Amino acid sequence: MVPDGSGAADGDTGVRLDFSFGKDVDQNWFYAVGSTRSNVTGVVTVVPDADGRPQVGLDYQANAWDRYNWDESKGVTIALPWGSDMGIPDGQMARLHTTGIAQEFDMAGSSSVKHYDLGAAAPNTDDMPLPDAPGREGDRTDLGRKQQEAR
């Protein structure tokens, strides 16, 4: 607590979660990433209002990271539009890495910092802020790289 009665606290409880994207939730994330490690970090700030009552705010950020790799014991089955399935064992994908055609890599990302007021004079019944919209709006072009024309 500082002399004006305000204060801030942060901490690390060491909670990190494995999160798996299900096909039924989002097929793009399921096929592209599969699962990831994640956590949410934040700072709680308490300041007195004009009447000396505490006003509590939370600034937080979601984080995700994982190693993009292929495990011999895993694989994926993709439903094809004409009704059959195609199985792709991870061992075949791992061979692309071991022969130098593809490369495993680390991936990581964080949301922007969001703010949520917790303790006002009246209870805050608003929903928590939604995550930012994904970049590139599903577009398949990389605007930072020159595109090849007439392929």
Side-chain angles (χ1 to χ4, degrees), residues 7-44:
D10 62 2
D12 182 0
T13 61
V15 177
R16 289 169 179 78
L17 305 172
D18 287 325
F19 181 81
S20 293
F21 296 95
K23 263 195 266 192
D24 55 333
V25 174
D26 190 312
Q27 287 189 8
N28 289 329
W29 282 102
F30 172 78
Y31 289 118
V33 174
S35 62
T36 184
R37 304 285 297 180
S38 60
N39 72 358
V40 176
T41 57
V43 174
V44 176

Side-chain angles (χ1 to χ4, degrees), residues 40-80:
V40 176
T41 57
V43 174
V44 176
T45 304
V46 181
V47 295
D49 67 10
D51 297 322
R53 292 180 298 227
Q55 290 192 330
V56 182
L58 170 65
D59 294 292
Y60 65 96
Q61 181 176 44
N63 309 286
W65 66 96
D66 196 21
R67 175 86 177 151
Y68 194 92
N69 60 354
W70 299 284
D71 301 315
E72 290 283 336
S73 63
K74 296 179 182 176
V76 68
T77 301
I78 299 174
L80 300 173

